[in-house]
Amino acid sequence: GYDSSAGGQVLEYAKEISASATNGKIAQSATTIYLKITKSGTTYTLYQSSNGSSWTQVQQYTNVDLGTPKVGVIAQCGSSLNADFDWFD
């Protein structure tokens, strides 16, 4: 997404359970961003990378019992934005 108050391009993330949402955003300068979500027990961790090899933790949610989680990825911008979601495992 794009947020002028955050300096431009941002990675936004959110968790919503029973209509209660928490979210955040991190300014980005890279034109390519890789995302990874891992799960260990009831802990979900979000990572980002500019090269797909070196990962930085963005956020961690603990004690989350989602059962069958639904995960989505979107790209949005006020003007033009090219987005390519090419691998989802």
PDB file of all heavy atoms in Angstrom, residues 73-87:
ATOM      1  N   VAL A  73      -3.876 -12.002   0.526  1.00  0.00           N
ATOM      2  CA  VAL A  73      -2.860 -11.023   0.157  1.00  0.00           C
ATOM      3  C   VAL A  73      -3.491 -10.059  -0.836  1.00  0.00           C
ATOM      4  O   VAL A  73      -4.150 -10.481  -1.788  1.00  0.00           O
ATOM      5  CB  VAL A  73      -1.635 -11.706  -0.492  1.00  0.00           C
ATOM      6  CG1 VAL A  73      -0.582 -10.689  -0.875  1.00  0.00           C
ATOM      7  CG2 VAL A  73      -1.048 -12.759   0.434  1.00  0.00           C
ATOM      8  N   ILE A  74      -3.314  -8.748  -0.594  1.00  0.00           N
ATOM      9  CA  ILE A  74      -3.835  -7.742  -1.513  1.00  0.00           C
ATOM     10  C   ILE A  74      -2.758  -6.703  -1.797  1.00  0.00           C
ATOM     11  O   ILE A  74      -1.809  -6.559  -1.033  1.00  0.00           O
ATOM     12  CB  ILE A  74      -5.093  -7.037  -0.979  1.00  0.00           C
ATOM     13  CG1 ILE A  74      -4.753  -6.217   0.276  1.00  0.00           C
ATOM     14  CG2 ILE A  74      -6.209  -8.019  -0.708  1.00  0.00           C
ATOM     15  CD1 ILE A  74      -5.853  -5.254   0.683  1.00  0.00           C
ATOM     16  N   ALA A  75      -2.915  -6.004  -2.887  1.00  0.00           N
ATOM     17  CA  ALA A  75      -2.067  -4.850  -3.199  1.00  0.00           C
ATOM     18  C   ALA A  75      -2.998  -3.699  -3.527  1.00  0.00           C
ATOM     19  O   ALA A  75      -3.993  -3.877  -4.221  1.00  0.00           O
ATOM     20  CB  ALA A  75      -1.162  -5.150  -4.378  1.00  0.00           C
ATOM     21  N   GLN A  76      -2.695  -2.525  -2.970  1.00  0.00           N
ATOM     22  CA  GLN A  76      -3.539  -1.369  -3.237  1.00  0.00           C
ATOM     23  C   GLN A  76      -2.698  -0.114  -3.303  1.00  0.00           C
ATOM     24  O   GLN A  76      -1.640  -0.033  -2.692  1.00  0.00           O
ATOM     25  CB  GLN A  76      -4.617  -1.236  -2.177  1.00  0.00           C
ATOM     26  CG  GLN A  76      -4.066  -1.028  -0.781  1.00  0.00           C
ATOM     27  CD  GLN A  76      -5.154  -1.050   0.273  1.00  0.00           C
ATOM     28  OE1 GLN A  76      -6.199  -1.646   0.092  1.00  0.00           O
ATOM     29  NE2 GLN A  76      -4.907  -0.381   1.383  1.00  0.00           N
ATOM     30  N   CYS A  77      -3.195   0.829  -4.072  1.00  0.00           N
ATOM     31  CA  CYS A  77      -2.471   2.087  -4.231  1.00  0.00           C
ATOM     32  C   CYS A  77      -3.439   3.132  -4.757  1.00  0.00           C
ATOM     33  O   CYS A  77      -4.389   2.794  -5.470  1.00  0.00           O
ATOM     34  CB  CYS A  77      -1.307   1.898  -5.204  1.00  0.00           C
ATOM     35  SG  CYS A  77      -0.283   3.364  -5.352  1.00  0.00           S
ATOM     36  N   GLY A  78      -3.181   4.392  -4.429  1.00  0.00           N
ATOM     37  CA  GLY A  78      -4.033   5.471  -4.890  1.00  0.00           C
ATOM     38  C   GLY A  78      -3.898   5.754  -6.373  1.00  0.00           C
ATOM     39  O   GLY A  78      -4.791   6.301  -6.987  1.00  0.00           O
ATOM     40  N   SER A  79      -2.776   5.375  -6.979  1.00  0.00           N
ATOM     41  CA  SER A  79      -2.615   5.623  -8.410  1.00  0.00           C
ATOM     42  C   SER A  79      -2.408   4.293  -9.122  1.00  0.00           C
ATOM     43  O   SER A  79      -3.330   3.540  -9.309  1.00  0.00           O
ATOM     44  CB  SER A  79      -1.459   6.596  -8.657  1.00  0.00           C
ATOM     45  OG  SER A  79      -0.263   6.097  -8.066  1.00  0.00           O
ATOM     46  N   SER A  80      -1.174   3.975  -9.484  1.00  0.00           N
ATOM     47  CA  SER A  80      -0.943   2.699 -10.183  1.00  0.00           C
ATOM     48  C   SER A  80       0.031   1.845  -9.391  1.00  0.00           C
ATOM     49  O   SER A  80       0.934   2.337  -8.729  1.00  0.00           O
ATOM     50  CB  SER A  80      -0.396   2.961 -11.580  1.00  0.00           C
ATOM     51  OG  SER A  80       0.874   3.566 -11.484  1.00  0.00           O
ATOM     52  N   LEU A  81      -0.188   0.548  -9.455  1.00  0.00           N
ATOM     53  CA  LEU A  81       0.647  -0.392  -8.731  1.00  0.00           C
ATOM     54  C   LEU A  81       0.628  -1.718  -9.467  1.00  0.00           C
ATOM     55  O   LEU A  81      -0.433  -2.212  -9.828  1.00  0.00           O
ATOM     56  CB  LEU A  81       0.117  -0.589  -7.307  1.00  0.00           C
ATOM     57  CG  LEU A  81       0.822  -1.633  -6.444  1.00  0.00           C
ATOM     58  CD1 LEU A  81       2.213  -1.147  -6.059  1.00  0.00           C
ATOM     59  CD2 LEU A  81       0.010  -1.924  -5.201  1.00  0.00           C
ATOM     60  N   ASN A  82       1.809  -2.278  -9.705  1.00  0.00           N
ATOM     61  CA  ASN A  82       1.906  -3.610 -10.283  1.00  0.00           C
ATOM     62  C   ASN A  82       2.178  -4.586  -9.157  1.00  0.00           C
ATOM     63  O   ASN A  82       3.086  -4.380  -8.360  1.00  0.00           O
ATOM     64  CB  ASN A  82       3.044  -3.684 -11.316  1.00  0.00           C
ATOM     65  CG  ASN A  82       2.754  -2.832 -12.530  1.00  0.00           C
ATOM     66  OD1 ASN A  82       1.624  -2.764 -12.980  1.00  0.00           O
ATOM     67  ND2 ASN A  82       3.771  -2.174 -13.045  1.00  0.00           N
ATOM     68  N   ALA A  83       1.384  -5.652  -9.091  1.00  0.00           N
ATOM     69  CA  ALA A  83       1.571  -6.665  -8.058  1.00  0.00           C
ATOM     70  C   ALA A  83       1.531  -8.038  -8.709  1.00  0.00           C
ATOM     71  O   ALA A  83       0.714  -8.294  -9.585  1.00  0.00           O
ATOM     72  CB  ALA A  83       0.490  -6.559  -7.000  1.00  0.00           C
ATOM     73  N   ASP A  84       2.425  -8.906  -8.271  1.00  0.00           N
ATOM     74  CA  ASP A  84       2.492 -10.260  -8.799  1.00  0.00           C
ATOM     75  C   ASP A  84       2.563 -11.221  -7.622  1.00  0.00           C
ATOM     76  O   ASP A  84       3.539 -11.195  -6.866  1.00  0.00           O
ATOM     77  CB  ASP A  84       3.734 -10.413  -9.685  1.00  0.00           C
ATOM     78  CG  ASP A  84       3.861 -11.802 -10.278  1.00  0.00           C
ATOM     79  OD1 ASP A  84       2.858 -12.542 -10.287  1.00  0.00           O
ATOM     80  OD2 ASP A  84       4.954 -12.141 -10.732  1.00  0.00           O
ATOM     81  N   PHE A  85       1.514 -12.001  -7.429  1.00  0.00           N
ATOM     82  CA  PHE A  85       1.490 -13.017  -6.389  1.00  0.00           C
ATOM     83  C   PHE A  85       1.699 -14.346  -7.097  1.00  0.00           C
ATOM     84  O   PHE A  85       0.774 -14.886  -7.676  1.00  0.00           O
ATOM     85  CB  PHE A  85       0.155 -12.987  -5.631  1.00  0.00           C
ATOM     86  CG  PHE A  85      -0.181 -11.631  -5.066  1.00  0.00           C
ATOM     87  CD1 PHE A  85      -1.195 -10.865  -5.596  1.00  0.00           C
ATOM     88  CD2 PHE A  85       0.545 -11.122  -3.996  1.00  0.00           C
ATOM     89  CE1 PHE A  85      -1.508  -9.618  -5.066  1.00  0.00           C
ATOM     90  CE2 PHE A  85       0.246  -9.881  -3.456  1.00  0.00           C
ATOM     91  CZ  PHE A  85      -0.783  -9.126  -4.000  1.00  0.00           C
ATOM     92  N   ASP A  86       2.914 -14.864  -7.044  1.00  0.00           N
ATOM     93  CA  ASP A  86       3.197 -16.009  -7.902  1.00  0.00           C
ATOM     94  C   ASP A  86       3.435 -17.313  -7.185  1.00  0.00           C
ATOM     95  O   ASP A  86       3.625 -18.339  -7.817  1.00  0.00           O
ATOM     96  CB  ASP A  86       4.373 -15.698  -8.818  1.00  0.00           C
ATOM     97  CG  ASP A  86       5.662 -15.418  -8.083  1.00  0.00           C
ATOM     98  OD1 ASP A  86       5.670 -15.461  -6.844  1.00  0.00           O
ATOM     99  OD2 ASP A  86       6.664 -15.143  -8.742  1.00  0.00           O
ATOM    100  N   TRP A  87       3.415 -17.316  -5.865  1.00  0.00           N
ATOM    101  CA  TRP A  87       3.604 -18.582  -5.162  1.00  0.00           C
ATOM    102  C   TRP A  87       2.946 -18.519  -3.809  1.00  0.00           C
ATOM    103  O   TRP A  87       3.206 -17.626  -3.022  1.00  0.00           O
ATOM    104  CB  TRP A  87       5.091 -18.908  -5.009  1.00  0.00           C
ATOM    105  CG  TRP A  87       5.354 -20.252  -4.421  1.00  0.00           C
ATOM    106  CD1 TRP A  87       4.926 -21.464  -4.887  1.00  0.00           C
ATOM    107  CD2 TRP A  87       6.103 -20.532  -3.243  1.00  0.00           C
ATOM    108  NE1 TRP A  87       5.357 -22.471  -4.075  1.00  0.00           N
ATOM    109  CE2 TRP A  87       6.097 -21.929  -3.040  1.00  0.00           C
ATOM    110  CE3 TRP A  87       6.775 -19.752  -2.324  1.00  0.00           C
ATOM    111  CZ2 TRP A  87       6.722 -22.542  -1.992  1.00  0.00           C
ATOM    112  CZ3 TRP A  87       7.409 -20.366  -1.278  1.00  0.00           C
ATOM    113  CH2 TRP A  87       7.384 -21.752  -1.119  1.00  0.00           C
TER     114      TRP A  87
END
